[in-house]
Amino acid sequence: MEEAAKLKCNFVVLKIASRCNLNCSYCIMYNVGDDTYKKQPKVMSDKTVDALLNRIKKHCLKHDIKIFDFSFHGGEPLLAGPEFFIKFIQKVKEILPPHIQISYTLQTNGILISDEWCDLFAKLNIFIAVSLDGTPAANDKFRVDHAGRGSYKAIVSGLKIAQRSKALNYSPNILSVINVESDPTEVYNHFKSLGVQSVDFILPHQIHEEKPLSIYEGDINFEATPYGDWLVKIFDQWFYEKKPRPEIRFFDVIIACILGMDVPFEYLGGQKNEILVIETNGGIEAVDSLKACGNGFTKNGVNVATHDIDEALENELAQVYSMSHQLLCKQCSCCPIKNVCGGGFLPDRYSKQNGFNNPSVYCKDLTRIITHIQNAIIDCLDPVDTAVLEIKKLTYLDVRKSIIKKMNVTAEPTYLALLEKFKQADQIYEKNIA
């Protein structure tokens, strides 16, 4: 594939700890059927860190990358201990060229946050985000410990420590997996009551075997968009309320795309996803959410000890992920809002029958929220501006009818075989570990 030769990575998700002190029922690392974490070190070793940073140095120099992002993940990354972060960042200073601008983020469940941790985050310039799913009831339905007890109190205790920290001097971003059974306005108002300044709402990762949806099958007048409706209720309050208000990246990205801009975001838009995951054993893989596709689905035999970053990008799964907003199925390529939606998040497109040759399981929901936001934006714009932007009001049914009409005269994509190569995840896993 010609475009694959142009791929690069400027962001790595570091799985520095492969265990967690929570046991969230929806967790893609531990509770969707992928048990490969059991064969990996509990914490990333110094040897793996050294190899990784030397590979990144070579990659950045080859591709003239001047900005590079590290995101510490797990499991629970704080289980790696303070010394890991001190040594890691010192090694970055020693190994990576000084002209490369480095940024650090960390995603934590918040339970272990303390004043000492906050002082260290501030000293090392690590920006932290906390996972919290809303109200106590919404959060504790899925985010539980290994004894099945809710985690809300412990998470909020850590969050408040971070918010009060004079060293950090900011309120951590919140990553919130949508619980569609919760009241969306209660969740949003609860975050505001906690002093949250930024929220990332994400859809729970599901493949088609778990939640089969298709925008072009069944009764065209039937709308089942529970996640879209959930987001619409929050948007309507958020969009029209006075500032300052919390930032909600999901909405901000949709608005930017509607206005003709494009920002890197693996869930939406049209840009390449220049991200790779580094496991605790040094394995270089595509995004960890793809673990939902099958046991060992992301395993490819590529490791920082033996392979360059460019070699990892030659892996076809890494290529499909990186170019997921360009490698759309036929249905998505016919969609009038594809430049905003980008086909949705790649793992949510997967089926064992067709690989990635599917729309997202959330296709209807994304159509619902995107058209709603586009119509709200148009109401705020001068007609001249809407003409320049070449946007118009769309209903949910407008989108569906447009897709059906174009599907009849559109050929299958030339890359169809690549999308369908990933059928039957278990067979792929057996091949990869052989």
Side-chain angles (χ1 to χ4, degrees), residues 314-331:
E314 293 173 2
N315 174 264
E316 288 180 311
L317 182 60
Q319 292 173 7
V320 171
Y321 166 70
S322 182
M323 299 178 63
S324 62
H325 296 315
Q326 292 79 42
L327 301 178
L328 303 177
C329 70
K330 178 180 175 180
Q331 177 184 325

Side-chain angles (χ1 to χ4, degrees), residues 140-190:
D140 289 350
K141 182 175 179 62
F142 302 109
R143 298 189 61 77
V144 297
D145 64 17
H146 289 272
R149 297 169 299 200
S151 60
Y152 176 87
K153 289 183 179 180
I155 294 172
V156 171
S157 176
L159 172 64
K160 289 182 177 179
I161 289 172
Q163 289 174 325
R164 291 195 300 262
S165 171
K166 294 181 180 180
L168 288 183
N169 195 31
Y170 65 82
S171 178
N173 178 57
I174 295 296
L175 180 68
S176 183
V177 178
I178 295 172
N179 175 0
V180 76
E181 296 178 2
S182 65
D183 184 301
T185 55
E186 284 186 8
V187 168
Y188 176 60
N189 289 328
H190 187 70

Side-chain angles (χ1 to χ4, degrees), residues 59-338:
H59 185 73
C60 288
L61 292 176
K62 178 179 179 179
H63 296 277
D64 194 28
I65 295 171
K66 295 182 172 61
I67 300 175
F68 201 91
D69 298 320
F70 292 96
S71 185
F72 300 108
H73 276 240
E76 170 50 49
L78 299 192
L79 292 175
E83 189 65 24
F84 177 91
F85 297 96
I86 295 171
K87 291 166 64 177
F88 184 94
I89 291 177
Q90 181 58 40
K91 288 182 177 181
V92 168
K93 294 176 181 178
E94 294 171 359
I95 296 174
L96 295 189
H99 73 272
I100 300 176
Q101 180 181 331
I102 305 296
S103 68
Y104 303 99
T105 56
L106 181 146
Q107 188 67 45
T108 174
N109 60 37
I111 291 175
L112 297 178
I113 292 177
S114 64
D115 290 326
E116 291 74 20
W117 272 114
C118 291
D119 291 342
L120 182 64
F121 297 145
K123 179 180 178 181
L124 300 178
N125 199 27
I126 299 174
F127 186 89
I128 67 170
V130 175
S131 299
L132 178 67
D133 292 347
T135 63
N139 182 84
D140 289 350
K141 182 175 179 62
F142 302 109
R143 298 189 61 77
V144 297
D145 64 17
H146 289 272
R149 297 169 299 200
S151 60
Y152 176 87
K153 289 183 179 180
I155 294 172
V156 171
S157 176
L159 172 64
K160 289 182 177 179
I161 289 172
Q163 289 174 325
R164 291 195 300 262
S165 171
K166 294 181 180 180
L168 288 183
N169 195 31
Y170 65 82
S171 178
N173 178 57
I174 295 296
L175 180 68
S176 183
V177 178
I178 295 172
N179 175 0
V180 76
E181 296 178 2
S182 65
D183 184 301
T185 55
E186 284 186 8
V187 168
Y188 176 60
N189 289 328
H190 187 70
F191 283 141
K192 292 201 298 180
S193 73
L194 291 174
V196 170
Q197 297 173 4
S198 178
V199 183
D200 277 351
F201 287 112
I202 64 172
L203 298 161
H205 305 316
Q206 299 186 73
I207 64 176
H208 277 267
E209 278 75 14
E210 298 169 351
K211 186 173 184 263
L213 290 176
S214 174
I215 196 170
Y216 58 85
E217 292 178 355
D219 183 358
I220 193 171
N221 295 307
F222 176 69
E223 297 185 29
T225 58
Y227 290 90
D229 297 341
W230 195 94
L231 287 165
V232 162
K233 290 179 181 178
I234 291 182
F235 176 82
D236 283 345
Q237 178 178 343
W238 173 84
F239 187 67
Y240 296 106
E241 71 184 4
K242 294 182 179 179
K243 298 181 179 180
R245 64 188 183 195
E247 294 181 3
I248 299 181
R249 182 161 61 153
F250 198 88
F251 297 156
D252 287 336
V253 172
I254 290 175
I255 291 171
C257 291
I258 290 170
L259 295 177
M261 298 176 280
D262 200 4
V263 293
F265 192 39
E266 59 187 349
Y267 292 91
L268 298 164
Q271 289 205 15
K272 293 178 181 177
N273 298 316
E274 299 180 327
I275 305 171
L276 287 170
V277 171
I278 313 298
E279 291 285 357
T280 53
N281 65 352
I284 313 174
E285 303 179 3
V287 63
D288 56 351
S289 298
L290 288 164
K291 294 179 185 292
C293 301
N295 188 27
F297 193 84
T298 60
K299 301 303 175 187
N300 53 27
V302 180
N303 193 287
V304 295
T306 51
H307 297 80
D308 286 333
I309 300 297
D310 284 272
E311 292 178 278
L313 292 171
E314 293 173 2
N315 174 264
E316 288 180 311
L317 182 60
Q319 292 173 7
V320 171
Y321 166 70
S322 182
M323 299 178 63
S324 62
H325 296 315
Q326 292 79 42
L327 301 178
L328 303 177
C329 70
K330 178 180 175 180
Q331 177 184 325
C332 292
S333 68
C334 296
C335 182
I337 58 171
K338 64 182 179 183

Side-chain angles (χ1 to χ4, degrees), residues 334-353:
C334 296
C335 182
I337 58 171
K338 64 182 179 183
N339 292 337
V340 180
C341 173
F345 194 34
L346 182 66
D348 300 332
R349 304 183 205 172
Y350 183 75
S351 75
K352 292 184 178 181
Q353 181 178 0

